[in-house]
Amino acid sequence: MSPETIIKPTNTETIPSQRIVPISREHALHLLYQMIRIRRFEAKSAELYGAMKIRGFLHLYDGEEAVAVGVMEALRPEDAVVATYREHGHALARGIPAGAIMAEMYGKQEGCSRGRGGSMHLFDAKTRFYGGNAIVGGGLPLAVGLALADKMQGKRRVTCCFFGDGAVAEGEFHESMNLAALWQLPVLFICENNLYAMGTALQLSQSITDLAKKAAGYAVAAEAVDGMDVLAVEVAAKKAVEIVRAGEGPYFLECRTYRFRGHSAFDTELYRTKAEVEEWKKRDPIKTFIEYLKNQGLVSEMDLNELERKVADEIKEAVDFAEAGTWEPVEDLTRFVYSERREV
Amino acid sequence: MKENPQMIRLTYREAVREAIREALRKDDRVFLMGEDVGRYGGCFAVSKGLLQEFGPERIRDTPLSESAFVGAGIGAAMGGMRPIVEIMTVNFSLLAADQILNNAATILHMSGGQFNIPLVIRMATGGGRQVAAQHSHSLEGWYAHIPGIKVLTPATLEDARGMLWTALEDPDPVLIFENSNLYNMEGQLPADAGPVDIHRARVRRPGSDVTIITYSASLFKALDAAEILAREGIDAEVIDLRTLRPLDQETFLASVTKTHRAVIVDEGWRSGSISAEIAARIMEGAFYELDAPVERICSAEVPMPYAKHLEQAALPQTETIVATIKRMMHS
């Protein structure tokens, strides 16, 4: 494949549109709000990275918002979430306060991981958010284990595991699919197929690019969905969660999406063309959703302005919170290597 | 010797099995998971009979998927269970190294103390059974390099019986290395033997002339060597480390301060081994007490060969310990 080749947004063409589902104005605004706050949070993160306020690796989620938002709508507070290193969107949609996430990226002790995890390792016990995993595919066995614990304790909870198309090439994907299906565990596998494993295109890394087929090979119920359509993702995720919660075993949902920015802040994007990115931006999950809602007469310009204002306030507060945060004393460096209490 | 009526005779294998059985009985959250632990009875027959007693939910056969079932153990521990994960041998644990190092050892820290991993991973280690390089290595010292996990090496029946429950009560991930040459070792143990501490090394034989620092199966070679040396008037103190991380340096530094000589016997390779760590700590903590350089007896730096004479030549042996100490004493 030459770098001139454009991977067109055709990978969702065969999937029927879900925009026939009726949606209330209130719910529409909620979904939109969630997506916009992720988009603006990421823009702010990029800016703060440039200003050297936050460091390390920074993987932004622009373009993929419909996946996190649609899937989280299907989950309950008692469910568990295992995420990837591109997880700001998951964390925000799951309900971790924006300030705690921002403070984490600043490395402050008010961060959701006390500044020990950073952008790639957001954790939050309150929302059962189990990271933030920087090893591609490494979160899949954890999700299998969380689901195993639920099943053995007779808890009807779902563990939702996010991972990218790159992880599908890892052995841990195959081992985890097999184990989850073999033991009929309540795991919802969400593959965020954004067509690139860092800079390597799907067709250069997968013998079968139809990823849902791989899950089917392990007798895991599987479906592909338009990951640029928040309603489609929500409908598919709700159906999947219902099946998983009913104890009918794991489910694999491939969300076909695209990231508008590079893999990380260091990415010079030599592996794809600007034209390709522009082509995909026509399918921007936020823009197209707004268009749809306007056509349906569900939102007005005024609504949008209000949403933007609300989001801007929230993000400003998050940044202020992070700025005002404190550095953990260096004397505490070795805390949390081992537990401070013996009995659990 | 007349048997003490309070004592029972059993093997190391049975001691481990009793420990697992007791844990399964005591706590509903405990379950055993690994390759062939159920129907087969465990590749070293440790879990034989447990499937019949506790059923397939709690004695859980897994596919050959070290990464997935170790990772699942971590997830299950975070989800409120107390898994005992068995890996057939330390060599196979390398397939799960990502889960052990990048998840089990790091999540507590990376989450700022929010998520404990109360997980126990047991595995066989050690050479000497002519099963060649991919089944014979001693990598426990390697795991001892990793902050966030604890590394236990039970040598005695008492420790084989008692370390597991203590490990299960620990909120952090604990790796237990059982030297496969010890499974058939027989001895006596009080009928009511229970949990033991996992924080202190033990002086297994007091002595005044030289300290032999060792752990696991090498302990018995060290004790044999001490007996031989005693006949020649050399009084060796033998220390069983028991736990390689965290290392109880207080015990061995106190001993070296008393004997002024130290020999470390370690089945791992010399380069970058736990013996190197111990030697360095002796330099740091007791250098001016030493009457001779610290010596190390480790495995030869080769992948473990199959042929018996070569394998035995590669492993630390009683004769080498004796010869080394005699040289140290007479130089």
Side-chain angles (χ1 to χ4, degrees):
Chain A
M1 193 186 71
S2 75
E4 288 76 40
T5 312
I6 291 182
I7 299 174
K8 287 194 177 131
T10 51
N11 70 337
T12 54
E13 270 176 4
T14 51
I15 303 167
S17 170
Q18 299 284 340
R19 293 199 175 159
I20 37 166
V21 291
I23 177 170
S24 72
R25 181 181 135 80
E26 191 195 3
H27 189 55
L29 285 171
H30 169 70
L31 295 177
L32 197 52
Y33 160 68
Q34 289 287 26
M35 289 201 289
I36 290 175
R37 66 195 277 265
I38 295 172
R39 180 72 57 92
R40 302 290 174 253
F41 185 92
E42 296 297 57
K44 190 47 130 181
S45 300
E47 188 190 316
L48 292 165
Y49 193 83
M52 298 177 76
K53 289 281 187 182
I54 55 184
R55 300 276 75 204
F57 283 134
L58 185 72
H59 308 90
L60 302 176
Y61 199 61
D62 302 52
E64 305 187 25
E65 296 90 344
V67 180
V69 172
V71 169
M72 286 316 168
E73 286 304 310
L75 300 179
R76 295 180 189 163
E78 69 267 26
D79 295 333
V81 176
V82 176
T84 67
Y85 53 85
R86 192 185 302 288
E87 89 280 33
H88 308 162
H90 307 129
L92 285 164
R94 181 59 180 170
I96 305 180
I101 300 170
M102 193 58 86
E104 184 57 35
M105 292 202 282
Y106 269 67
K108 301 282 179 76
Q109 61 180 339
E110 289 78 9
C112 60
S113 307
R114 290 185 74 97
R116 282 167 160 79
S119 164
M120 297 187 286
H121 306 292
L122 306 174
F123 286 88
D124 183 49
K126 221 175 287 163
T127 55
R128 299 200 75 218
F129 197 86
Y130 291 90
N133 212 308
I135 306 286
V136 169
L140 283 115
L142 295 188
V144 167
L146 284 160
L148 173 63
D150 283 341
K151 187 168 182 174
M152 290 184 81
Q153 294 168 104
K155 291 177 176 164
R156 291 179 86 78
R157 304 194 294 198
V158 173
T159 299
C160 175
C161 181
F162 290 92
F163 53 97
D165 48 290
V168 174
E170 293 276 3
E172 284 178 315
F173 169 81
H174 301 274
E175 292 189 16
S176 300
M177 285 292 142
N178 184 48
L179 206 54
L182 191 67
W183 291 350
Q184 289 290 286
L185 300 177
V187 192
L188 172 60
F189 293 106
I190 301 288
C191 178
E192 299 184 309
N193 178 5
N194 65 17
L195 295 172
Y196 291 95
M198 206 162 122
T200 301
L202 189 67
Q203 56 268 45
L204 296 178
S205 66
Q206 293 291 338
S207 60
I208 296 173
T209 53
D210 185 347
L211 301 181
K213 272 190 188 162
K214 300 223 176 200
Y218 295 100
V220 174
E223 191 190 349
V225 67
D226 181 356
M228 303 304 263
D229 179 345
V230 68
L231 293 179
V233 174
E234 186 187 5
V235 168
K238 280 188 168 161
K239 185 183 96 181
V241 164
E242 226 171 88
I243 290 167
V244 172
R245 206 183 302 282
E248 290 171 40
Y251 199 99
F252 176 95
L253 190 62
E254 178 196 347
C255 300
R256 294 179 179 172
T257 183
Y258 197 80
R259 68 171 145 72
F260 295 158
R261 295 181 193 248
H263 165 73
S264 77
F266 298 120
D267 186 354
T268 47
E269 292 187 72
L270 301 170
Y271 52 87
R272 65 183 187 183
T273 61
K274 285 200 167 69
E276 179 184 310
V277 180
E278 289 314 309
E279 192 69 25
W280 273 91
K281 280 187 173 171
K282 291 178 190 161
R283 303 205 57 241
D284 185 319
I286 298 175
K287 263 200 280 187
T288 56
F289 190 49
I290 290 174
E291 270 164 42
Y292 169 76
L293 295 175
K294 278 184 173 171
N295 287 340
Q296 297 286 306
L298 286 170
V299 304
S300 64
E301 271 309 315
M302 225 169 72
D303 292 327
L304 292 176
N305 291 339
E306 199 177 315
L307 272 187
E308 289 286 2
R309 206 167 36 240
K310 188 173 153 195
V311 167
D313 287 349
E314 186 185 357
I315 287 171
K316 188 185 175 301
E317 265 173 48
V319 174
D320 290 346
F321 179 77
E323 286 282 344
T326 50
W327 304 114
E328 183 142 10
V330 173
E331 299 77 68
D332 286 354
L333 173 67
T334 57
R335 278 185 80 190
F336 313 124
V337 176
Y338 296 100
S339 302
E340 285 158 7
R341 67 216 154 84
R342 282 270 310 145
E343 300 300 319
V344 285
Chain B
M1 194 178 85
K2 205 181 151 202
E3 294 219 354
N4 185 330
Q6 302 288 305
M7 303 291 276
I8 49 166
R9 193 155 187 86
L10 79 177
T11 61
Y12 184 99
R13 168 184 294 109
E14 288 162 345
V16 177
R17 186 187 303 143
E18 276 314 301
I20 298 171
R21 177 181 280 135
E22 182 203 29
L24 287 159
R25 281 189 184 150
K26 259 189 182 168
D27 189 340
D28 286 344
R29 301 173 300 175
V30 173
F31 67 101
L32 177 71
M33 161 164 75
E35 292 156 357
D36 285 314
V37 298
R39 280 100 185 150
Y40 190 92
C43 80
F44 292 100
V46 167
S47 50
K48 204 171 165 192
L50 296 180
L51 173 69
Q52 290 69 26
E53 195 176 339
F54 295 98
E57 275 284 297
R58 300 184 72 199
I59 307 295
R60 202 169 263 271
D61 280 318
T62 65
L64 309 185
S65 299
E66 283 82 0
S67 187
F69 70 73
V70 171
I74 299 167
M78 286 195 291
M81 299 298 285
R82 291 292 176 275
I84 305 169
V85 173
E86 178 178 309
I87 302 177
M88 278 191 189
T89 80
V90 64
N91 302 71
F92 307 163
S93 76
L94 301 182
L95 283 88
D98 167 51
Q99 289 299 327
I100 297 170
L101 173 51
N102 286 316
N103 282 335
T106 52
I107 283 178
L108 177 69
H109 189 78
M110 285 202 308
S111 70
Q114 291 179 85
F115 294 113
N116 289 104
I117 318 284
L119 167 70
V120 173
I121 305 174
R122 297 174 37 245
M123 61 186 106
T125 186
R129 297 183 311 120
Q130 283 198 269
V131 287
Q134 292 181 351
H135 281 79
S136 302
H137 290 146
S138 294
L139 301 177
E140 53 278 355
W142 225 37
Y143 280 103
H145 178 64
I146 305 168
I149 57 175
K150 293 180 182 173
V151 174
L152 313 186
T153 53
T156 63
L157 293 177
E158 186 196 16
D159 282 351
R161 175 70 181 82
M163 280 184 164
L164 182 76
W165 182 255
T166 316
L168 281 166
E169 281 189 303
D170 199 290
D172 300 317
V174 180
L175 272 55
I176 304 181
F177 291 87
E178 297 158 13
N179 191 297
S180 56
N181 294 287
L182 294 176
Y183 284 127
N184 288 329
M185 180 177 74
E186 253 188 282
Q188 301 205 61
L189 205 59
D192 61 351
V196 295
D197 85 277
I198 56 173
H199 298 102
R200 304 295 293 182
R202 290 267 165 80
V203 177
R204 297 291 185 196
R205 183 193 190 282
S208 54
D209 295 331
V210 58
T211 300
I212 308 176
I213 302 163
T214 189
Y215 67 91
S216 195
S218 299
L219 170 66
F220 302 99
K221 292 175 182 172
L223 288 169
D224 288 347
E227 286 311 308
I228 294 167
L229 290 163
R231 280 180 238 136
E232 306 198 15
I234 299 170
D235 191 15
E237 177 149 302
V238 179
I239 289 180
D240 175 5
L241 291 169
R242 300 178 68 244
T243 298
L244 303 189
R245 175 177 275 272
L247 206 49
D248 171 18
Q249 64 177 28
E250 235 173 81
T251 299
F252 66 75
L253 289 179
S255 175
V256 173
T257 301
K258 183 177 74 173
T259 65
H260 310 292
R261 289 177 185 84
V263 177
I264 305 149
V265 184
D266 173 14
E267 230 188 82
W269 292 297
R270 185 190 207 89
S271 305
S273 63
I274 191 78
S275 69
E277 176 64 29
I278 294 163
R281 293 201 193 192
I282 293 171
M283 303 310 165
E284 290 164 354
F287 181 78
Y288 296 104
E289 298 292 342
L290 290 173
D291 285 346
V294 173
E295 297 263 359
R296 290 191 283 155
I297 299 161
C298 301
S299 281
E301 305 245 334
V302 292
M304 201 56 74
Y306 158 72
K308 188 170 186 174
H309 67 295
L310 293 178
E311 185 184 38
Q312 290 304 313
L315 289 163
Q317 299 295 354
T318 305
E319 301 74 53
T320 331
I321 304 171
V322 170
T324 303
I325 290 174
K326 277 173 145 177
R327 180 165 46 73
M328 281 172 88
M329 297 302 295
H330 299 133
S331 65

